[in-house]
Amino acid sequence: MPAKLAKRVETIANQRALSDNRVLVELIEQGIEAQKQKEKAFFQLAERFRSADDPQQVKQLGDELGRFVFGE
């Protein structure tokens, strides 16, 4: 692990009275959950896009999908 990142983990661990390993586990769990939520949001947006009938809404949702996939 890069020294700068290790220092940040150590700082968090000290602030929360946890071990470095416990902090790493929590950060990994949070990252996995965040990724799951992002995937869920993407599929919900894709479904809204797929089912949209109004051309203006289709364009808006298509633009949102583009930003979701490619960033802003």
Side-chain angles (χ1 to χ4, degrees), residues 1-70:
M1 176 183 323
K4 187 175 179 179
L5 185 55
K7 183 64 179 164
R8 290 177 66 189
V9 169
E10 184 178 348
T11 299
I12 293 169
N14 288 338
Q15 290 171 343
R16 297 179 58 202
L18 299 171
S19 70
D20 291 2
N21 284 342
R22 183 67 219 159
V23 169
L24 288 172
V25 168
E26 287 183 6
L27 290 172
I28 291 167
E29 288 172 341
Q30 289 172 5
I32 290 169
E33 184 59 33
Q35 183 63 34
K36 285 181 185 177
Q37 292 300 319
K38 187 175 179 180
E39 288 175 10
K40 181 179 178 183
F42 171 79
F43 286 116
Q44 288 174 341
L45 180 59
E47 179 58 30
R48 287 177 46 215
F49 175 76
R50 192 181 68 76
S51 63
D53 292 332
D54 177 40
Q56 185 176 359
Q57 186 181 26
V58 169
K59 181 182 179 341
Q60 177 190 355
L61 293 171
D63 290 346
E64 285 183 47
L65 274 172
R67 284 191 300 276
F68 204 102
V69 172
F70 300 110

